[in-house]
Amino acid sequence: QVQLVESGGGLVQPGGSLRLSCAASGSIVSIYAMSWYRQAPGKQRELVATITSGGSTNYADSVKGRFTISRANAKNTVYLQMNSLKPEDTAVYYCNARIRTDGLVNDYWGQGTQVTVSS
């Protein structure tokens, strides 16, 4: 059994910053790519950023230069530092990880954390 638990969401003014965290726990053998997705009301879920086990990163064009994804492998944790936040960044943010457990590889999702950017 694997769980992803997110934290760090909240209400912030435009131009402000937030840091999201997502910790994986359970019967984990290894973790491959870890990602953050977001879903705004009435819109499809979209990929925000991905980091591989080796540390390579990829970002959606809409967040490049403002968001930074990182991971602490010893803690099975991925972070998303969000700076210069805009109202259009408002969404529920979800953590995703590709994890090997006892020979099986599956994608796991967190429960989501709300980020609201508003004055």
Side-chain angles (χ1 to χ4, degrees):
Q1 195 80 344
V2 172
Q3 281 191 321
L4 299 183
V5 179
E6 297 131 340
S7 60
L11 173 64
V12 63
Q13 291 186 341
S17 298
L18 281 176
R19 189 192 195 208
L20 306 183
S21 300
C22 172
S25 62
S27 303
I28 297 169
V29 173
S30 56
I31 302 178
Y32 302 109
M34 302 184 83
S35 302
W36 287 96
Y37 287 74
R38 67 186 181 186
Q39 188 166 18
K43 295 188 177 181
Q44 289 188 333
R45 189 173 296 190
E46 63 172 351
L47 177 63
V48 175
T50 297
I51 185 166
T52 68
S53 56
S56 297
T57 59
N58 192 43
Y59 297 92
D61 288 343
S62 58
V63 307
K64 280 181 182 177
R66 300 187 298 122
F67 291 11
T68 301
I69 189 171
S70 60
R71 62 193 285 172
N73 290 331
K75 296 181 179 180
N76 291 337
T77 299
V78 63
Y79 306 96
L80 186 68
Q81 177 66 44
M82 304 185 293
N83 298 328
S84 302
L85 283 160
K86 304 175 181 180
E88 51 263 44
D89 294 318
T90 296
V92 178
Y93 283 70
Y94 297 91
C95 170
N96 170 274
R98 180 156 293 181
I99 297 175
R100 176 179 293 276
T101 60
D102 297 329
L104 297 176
V105 178
N106 286 299
D107 283 338
Y108 294 88
W109 292 88
Q111 80 285 358
T113 185
Q114 176 70 46
V115 172
T116 302
V117 184
S118 175
S119 55

